[in-house]
């Protein structure tokens, strides 16, 4: 619809269809009109009064192919067109038991076209609340005197109570009705102000309940009984996999059996998966996967990156299998998902066969070149004949023999995951591409033909389709969703993130075969006359063995879910419900924060309290009360009295006022205890703050009836006011001995008194004698805390009135040591402050409070010597501290030399080490934690934490060294150890090896053998470094690896070496540590493997699982797998040939740099 017409178009629901956007019509309007040409030899033109022929024209087959319930048509004879009102309805007619009518705007619905719509025809335009009808319809406007002249449009719509009309705002231009004859006819569409409008209505069956649904206010749980998963950003692939696993009921039940009651941590992926499954089971709305992805160790950026679904599935299975060890579910996953496949080479003419049996958790089927999964399975198990020059060496007994080579399945699992290889490398485009070829898969198939002859066939190997995981889009951008059949019998459902809908078998099968886009049997063509390819196609299929359907899809009841999980989630649900209720009732309540005597005594900072603190965590924070707005001040006093243990008669509340200097101080007492909280808030602060802030004063004296006696009383009952010059002052005591500042209560004093008169009042308040033990007069130094950054000394002879003191002002005092002068007029202390020394003056301490920073220090996890010896600790420091002063405080805390400490910043997102802090003369704690300008290295860093590293040498000496991290290999290649070494910047690899031997406490080269160093990049050797190579030229983009040169390699020449690396399935998926390996001329690979076993340090079954291949260094080259009788010297004929070790990546490193998917 054209948005320009939205506001002015009149329609019950504004759902108006424009021909340009939503109609299946001819390319131009002329084609919509039949033209009579008497001289033409063409066939008889179509006439609008030929209703059956017109129905075929205006009601073409639909893409969704819904079942037709009934058809009908009705013709409205329109008379007096020019005299009709702006809006007119045709007569009501019935089709399929529903009333219909045509809505007409004869002069256009605010456009220069006549407008026509099909509308429900219920009386008073009020259909039933449950009115739903899916309709395909066509409207034909024609000349009753010349039926060959007509125009038509067609559409389909889901009619509901809310959307009761649908049609065409621009049905036909007004100028074409009666002012412009149709080409070559000399006649008009509307003659004598009359025309016919025929409505063709076809009611179709809504099998799924969502045909042409707009999904506004759609409730998945209500409509289907199931809920979806929220998409965090690009996690639709995860959602489709999770739903598939969730509806594999035996898997869900096994996950519930993992004992997590002792580890209810959101860092435990088994626990978070249990929580997710339980929420899918019980929730009424879509469930989030945030907890699960966080337990994987994913950061924010990773949820916006689409991962490999097959890899994610395998890693999730591995993790759950590991968690199930030692539980009753220990063998459930292999039983459900694991089958066995045999790789064999069988001699044709002699009885000799080499075979290897391996487990598989999914089967990868080729899509390219195959029409369906049956073809793919045949392709998978096809037999290769080894003859001629490619004969197989069958040992010394049989020598070279003709043989058959292939794979065959020994068993299939109960739940068979088929990965369709939709994404493959395209050599022409030199990139990974999506294969959109048509590829069919059945609802059931028999896997028996692909089993070995000796397989157990006592049960049928027929499989039933359980799930189809679909990818829509191309390699770089797309969307994932799933079709799953939750029960043995019944419907498939489409799980598209947070939406769940019923699905037809056509949607499950045909729509996901891929290939050309076909509508009503016709291949759709692009403007370039090439077939339009479907963007959505299946990439993973889930089949369940028919004979095991009952055990795989067994019911999972409330009793199967762990009790502790139910309890925890029910508690969380109750808390959420309480918070929701609190939000809903928020308008009835007002927050009140109250400063009490105990909070002020505990306060050690500036002003009177911390209003944004939590009193349950910080005793100095103001107490918080959530009060009904209509409750009274008296009720609030009773609550405060109950919390503080004070008689409510002794409490009086004062309002707080925000002063211009950004401080908050008491203003006036509240004298009417019956005043409501809302009235007090409006009268005192209006709408300036969302909460009411008060001070609770405690009376020192009480009357006979227990009521508090107040030094000042603002109002009497007759309305007259006391005339008093008393003011209330707050006291704070700075104690140099304990280096603390604390609240000391409040006192009343006349404004006419002098500052020095405060001293006896303070002594009385504190309970101190007038003289010291030595007999000298106890003197105090007084300061006024005007604001946190303005602490002024008070003059003893000055009156309080002249000092401009008023209610709520703060006086800070400290004792003056014997012989240190009087309490008044002191010279300002030096601004040069060393915060590492004892603070003797209150002003210094206030300055410290303003710049105080509490910083958490963590030992560097890899660089610190013995990091386990150091605990995480916090230090309260000044932002003015220099780099050296911060290190001195750390050194004092740890008992180490402060010159041997180096600081590192913390990544705010991951909490990992970010970068080193440069030591400089102008560097302070403030500039370290909050750099004055942003750079790539300091953005996104924590402002309250640092890592520290304890060095072996001083930081100044370190500046002359280059820090290098070396991966030291010992015991073959199985034991890896990272060693950080420092080498002079002008040093060589020789110096690097010397430092490595010393740091790792290795035997020297003379005794244990020489050491070699090489660089690796992308899990492949980049180059071996000669000993004279300078360390300054080693970049941070490569990994250094060092190892003892094997004895057999010492005498070898350069041509005897071959670089070896590890990969999984495809050579571009490299992993692990590469190495150099010596090859021997004329050595059979069976013997070579024995040396490899020794070299790798891997034995037994783990070594047997490795498949060896020769791989060209060029990217995406196809590996040539080696047999025992091959001679690697002869196979590897090119200089850039490498030895590839194909096996599962046990290090679980993701190629996109995330690190481990499962960190916890």
């Amino acid at each position: 619809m054209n948005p320009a017409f939205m506001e002015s178009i009149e329609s019950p629901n504004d759902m108006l269809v424009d021909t340009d956007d939503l109609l299946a019509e001819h390319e131009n309007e002329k084609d919509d009109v039949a033209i009579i040409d008497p001289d033409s030899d063409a066939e008889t033109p179509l006439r609008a009064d030929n209703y059956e022929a017109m129905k075929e024209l205006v009601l073409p087959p639909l893409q969704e192919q819904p079942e037709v319930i009934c058809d009908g048509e009705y013709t409205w004879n329109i008379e007096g067109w020019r005299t009709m009102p702006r809006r007119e309805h045709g007569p009501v007619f019935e089709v399929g038991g529903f009333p219909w009518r045509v809505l007409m705007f004869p002069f256009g619905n605010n456009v220069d076209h006549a407008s026509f719509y099909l509308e429900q025809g219920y009386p008073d335009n009020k259909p039933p609340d449950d009115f739903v009808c899916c309709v395909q319809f066509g409207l034909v406007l024609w000349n009753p005197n010349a039926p060959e002249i007509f125009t038509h449009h067609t559409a389909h719509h889901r009619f509901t109570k809310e959307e009761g009309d649908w049609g065409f705002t621009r049905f036909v231009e007004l100028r074409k009705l009666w002012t412009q004859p149709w080409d070559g006819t000399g006649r008009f569409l509307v003659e004598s102000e009359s025309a016919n409008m025929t409505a063709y209505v076809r009611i179709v069956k809504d099998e799924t309940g969502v045909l042409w649904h707009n999904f506004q206010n759609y409730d998945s749980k209500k409509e289907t009984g199931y809920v979806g998963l929220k998409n965090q950003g690009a996690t639709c692939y995860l959602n489709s996999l999770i739903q598939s696993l969730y509806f594999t009921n035996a898997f869900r039940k096994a996950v519930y059996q993992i004992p997590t009651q002792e580890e209810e941590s959101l860092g435990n992926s088994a626990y978070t998966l249990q929580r997710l499954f339980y929420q899918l089971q019980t929730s009424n709305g879509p469930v989030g996967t945030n907890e699960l992805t966080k337990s994987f160790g994913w950061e924010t950026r990773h949820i916006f990156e689409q991962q490999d679904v097959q890899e994610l599935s395998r890693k999730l299975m591995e993790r759950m299998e590991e968690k199930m060890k030692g539980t009753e579910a220990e063998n459930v996953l292999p039983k459900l998902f694991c089958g066995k496949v045999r790789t064999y080479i069988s001699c044709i003419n002699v009885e000799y066969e080499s075979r290897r049996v391996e487990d598989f958790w999914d089967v990868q089927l080729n899509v390219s070149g195959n029409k369906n999964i049956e073809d793919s399975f045949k392709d998978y198990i096809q037999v290769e004949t080894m003859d001629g020059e490619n004969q197989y060496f069958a040992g010394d007994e049989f020598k070279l023999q003709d043989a058959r080579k292939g794979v065959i399945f020994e068993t299939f699992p109960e739940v068979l995951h088929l990965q369709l290889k939709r994404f493959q490398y395209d050599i022409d485009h030199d990139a990974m591409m999506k294969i959109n070829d048509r590829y069919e898969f059945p609802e059931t198939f028999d896997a028996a033909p692909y089993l070995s002859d000796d397989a157990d066939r006592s049960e049928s190997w027929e499989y039933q389709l359980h799930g189809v995981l679909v990818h829509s889009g191309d390699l770089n951008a797309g969307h994932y969703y799933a079709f799953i059949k939750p029960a043995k019998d019944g419907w498939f459902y489409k799980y598209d993130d947070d939406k769940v809908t019923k699905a037809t078998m056509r949607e499950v099968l045909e729509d996901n075969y891929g290939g050309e886009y076909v509508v009503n049997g016709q291949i759709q063509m692009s403007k370039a006359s090439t077939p339009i390819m479907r963007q959505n196609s299946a990439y993973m299929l889930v089949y369940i063995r028919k004979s095991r359907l009952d055990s795989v899809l067994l019911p999972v009841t409330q009793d199967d879910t762990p009790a502790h999980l139910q309890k925890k989630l029910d508690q969380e649900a109750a808390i959420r419900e309480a918070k929701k209720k609190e939000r809903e009732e928020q308008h009835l309540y007002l927050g009140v924060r109250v400063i009490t005597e105990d909070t002020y005594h505990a306060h050690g900072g500036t002003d009177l309290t911390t209003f944004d603190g939590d009193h349950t965590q910080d005793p100095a924070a103001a107490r918080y009360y959530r009060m009904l707005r209509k409750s009274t001040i008296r009720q609030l006093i009773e609550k405060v009295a109950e919390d503080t243990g004070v008689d409510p008669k002794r409490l009086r509340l004062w309002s707080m006022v925000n002063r211009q200097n950004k401080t908050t101080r008491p203003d006036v007492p509240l004298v009417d205890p019956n005043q409501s909280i809302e009235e007090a808030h409006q009268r005192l602060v209006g709408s300036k703050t969302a909460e009411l802030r008060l001070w609770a004063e405690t009376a020192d004296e009480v009357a006979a009836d227990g009521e508090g006696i107040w030094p000042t009383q603002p109002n009497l009952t007759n309305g007259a006011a006391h005339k008093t010059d008393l003011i209330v002052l707050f006291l704070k005591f700075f104690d140099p001995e304990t280096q603390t500042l604390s609240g000391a209560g409040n006192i009343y004093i006349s404004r006419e008194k002098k500052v020095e008169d405060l001293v006896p009042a303070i002594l009385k308040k504190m309970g101190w004698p007038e003289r010291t033990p030595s007999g000298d007069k106890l003197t105090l130094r007084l300061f006024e805390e005007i604001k946190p950054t303005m602490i002024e000394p008070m003059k003893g002879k000055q009156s309080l009135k002249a000092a401009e003191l008023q209610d709520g002002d703060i006086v800070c005092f400290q004792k003056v040591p014997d012989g240190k002068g009087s309490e008044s007029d002191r010279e300002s202390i030096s601004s040069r402050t060393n915060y590492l020394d004892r603070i003797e003056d209150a002003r210094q301490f206030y300055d410290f409070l303003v710049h105080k920073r509490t910083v958490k220090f963590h030992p560097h996890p890899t660089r610190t010597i013995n990091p386990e010896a150091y605990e995480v600790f916090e230090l309260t420091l000044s932002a003015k501290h220099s780099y050296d002063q911060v290190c001195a405080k750390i050194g004092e805390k740890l008992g180490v030399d402060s010159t041997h400490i180096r600081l590192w910043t913390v990544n705010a997102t991951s909490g990992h080490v970010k970068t080193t802090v440069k030591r400089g003369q102008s560097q302070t704690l403030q500039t370290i934690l909050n750099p004055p300008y942003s750079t790539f290295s300091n953005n996104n860093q924590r402002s309250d934490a640092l890592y520290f590293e304890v060095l072996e040498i001083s930081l100044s000496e370190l500046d002359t060294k280059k820090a290098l991290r070396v991966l030291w290999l010992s015991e073959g290649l199985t034991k890896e150890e990272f060693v950080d070494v420092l080498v002079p910047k002008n040093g060589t690899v020789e110096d690097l090896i010397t430092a490595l031997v010393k740091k790792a406490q290795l035997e020297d080269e003379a005794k244990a053998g020489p050491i070699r160093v090489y660089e690796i990049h992308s899990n492949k050797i980049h180059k071996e470094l000669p000993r004279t190579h300078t360390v300054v030229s080693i970049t941070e983009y490569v990994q250094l690896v060092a190892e003892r040169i094997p004895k057999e390699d010492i005498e070898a020449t350069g041509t005897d070496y071959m670089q070896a690396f590890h990969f999984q399935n495809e050579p571009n998926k490299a992993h692990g540590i590469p190495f150099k390996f010596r090859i021997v001329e004329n050595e059979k690979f069976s013997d070579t493997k024995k040396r490899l076993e020794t070299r790798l340090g891997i034995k037994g079954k783990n070594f047997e699982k490795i498949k060896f291949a020769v791989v060209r260094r060029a990217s995406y080259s196809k590996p040539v797998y080696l047999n025992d009788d091959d001679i690697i010297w002869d196979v590897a004929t090119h200089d850039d040939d490498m030895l590839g070790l194909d096996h599962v990546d046990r290090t679980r490193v993701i190629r996109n740099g995330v690190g481990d998917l499962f960190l916890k």
Side-chain angles (χ1 to χ4, degrees), residues 270-325:
Y271 176 62
T272 56
L273 189 60
Q274 286 180 342
R275 288 172 61 92
L276 181 59
F277 279 179
Y278 183 74
Q279 289 173 82
L280 283 172
Q281 219 168 277
T282 59
S283 176
N284 290 320
V287 179
T289 57
N290 304 62
E291 293 179 351
L292 184 67
T293 55
K294 284 181 181 177
S295 74
F296 291 171
W298 291 4
E299 300 173 8
T300 304
R301 68 183 178 90
H302 301 133
I303 65 174
F304 290 97
E305 297 173 353
Q306 289 189 349
Q307 313 289 346
D308 182 80
V309 180
Q310 180 187 5
E311 184 176 28
L312 176 61
S313 174
R314 287 181 179 179
K315 289 181 182 296
L316 188 58
M317 291 292 185
E318 285 178 15
R319 187 59 176 156
M320 292 305 109
E321 188 181 18
E322 181 183 322
K323 290 284 186 179
M324 290 175 186
K325 286 180 179 176

Side-chain angles (χ1 to χ4, degrees), residues 696-710:
E697 180 186 8
T698 305
D700 293 329
E701 300 178 9
V702 294
D705 59 357
E707 293 288 340
I709 299 175
W710 309 108

Side-chain angles (χ1 to χ4, degrees), residues 605-639:
T606 57
D607 225 331
L608 300 178
T609 190
T610 305
F611 281 111
D612 56 357
D614 181 357
H615 183 72
T616 60
Q617 305 295 325
D618 178 9
R623 296 178 183 275
Y624 179 78
Y625 298 94
R626 186 170 179 262
M627 302 292 294
L628 279 169
R629 290 177 177 270
K630 64 183 180 180
S631 60
T632 63
I633 295 295
R634 188 188 305 280
Q635 290 173 313
L636 175 59
I637 290 175
E638 289 172 354
K639 280 182 173 290

Side-chain angles (χ1 to χ4, degrees), residues 1 5-17 86-87 89 103-105 109-110 115-120 125 157 159 162-169:
M1 185 189 303
F5 301 126
M6 285 294 288
E7 294 183 1
S8 57
I9 289 174
E10 293 184 18
S11 178
N13 54 27
D14 286 336
M15 299 301 289
L16 310 178
V17 179
R86 182 175 178 275
R87 175 188 178 112
H89 285 102
L103 170 63
M104 172 187 179
F105 289 80
N109 191 358
N110 295 306
S115 306
F116 288 91
Y117 309 90
L118 180 67
E119 183 181 56
Q120 51 79 16
N125 201 29
H157 182 59
F159 286 84
E162 293 77 21
E163 293 186 358
D165 70 292
W166 198 259
F168 316 99
T169 303

Side-chain angles (χ1 to χ4, degrees), residues 224-270:
T224 67
Y226 306 108
V227 298
L229 292 167
K230 298 174 184 176
N231 192 333
Q232 294 184 54
T235 56
C236 49
Y237 68 96
L238 172 68
N239 292 350
S240 61
L241 176 64
I242 292 297
Q243 292 281 21
S244 173
L245 294 174
Y246 171 79
F247 285 109
T248 308
N249 295 0
F251 175 78
R252 192 195 332 166
K253 189 169 184 177
V255 168
Y256 283 151
Q257 290 172 338
I258 300 174
T260 56
Q261 58 269 29
E262 301 300 325
E263 194 181 353
E264 287 185 333
S265 164
L266 295 182
N268 178 1
S269 53

Side-chain angles (χ1 to χ4, degrees), residues 7-68:
E7 294 183 1
S8 57
I9 289 174
E10 293 184 18
S11 178
N13 54 27
D14 286 336
M15 299 301 289
L16 310 178
V17 179
D18 283 341
T19 58
D20 296 339
D21 302 322
L22 300 175
L23 300 182
E25 62 169 358
H26 296 90
E27 291 187 0
N28 59 66
E29 203 162 20
K30 292 181 180 179
D31 294 336
D32 292 340
V33 180
I35 301 171
I36 303 173
D37 185 356
D39 299 326
S40 173
D41 294 330
E43 295 181 8
T44 304
L46 185 64
R47 294 169 55 95
D49 56 1
N50 184 346
Y51 296 115
E52 285 301 317
M54 288 300 298
K55 183 167 71 171
E56 289 187 20
L57 174 67
V58 300
L59 299 181
L62 291 165
Q63 177 188 341
E64 294 85 358
Q65 301 174 20
E67 179 184 335
V68 176

Side-chain angles (χ1 to χ4, degrees), residues 947-963:
Y947 280 96
F948 67 87
E949 174 188 359
V950 180
L951 304 167
E952 293 179 317
I953 58 177
S954 68
L955 196 56
S956 56
E957 185 183 350
L958 180 66
D959 291 338
T960 66
K961 307 278 189 181
K962 182 178 177 71

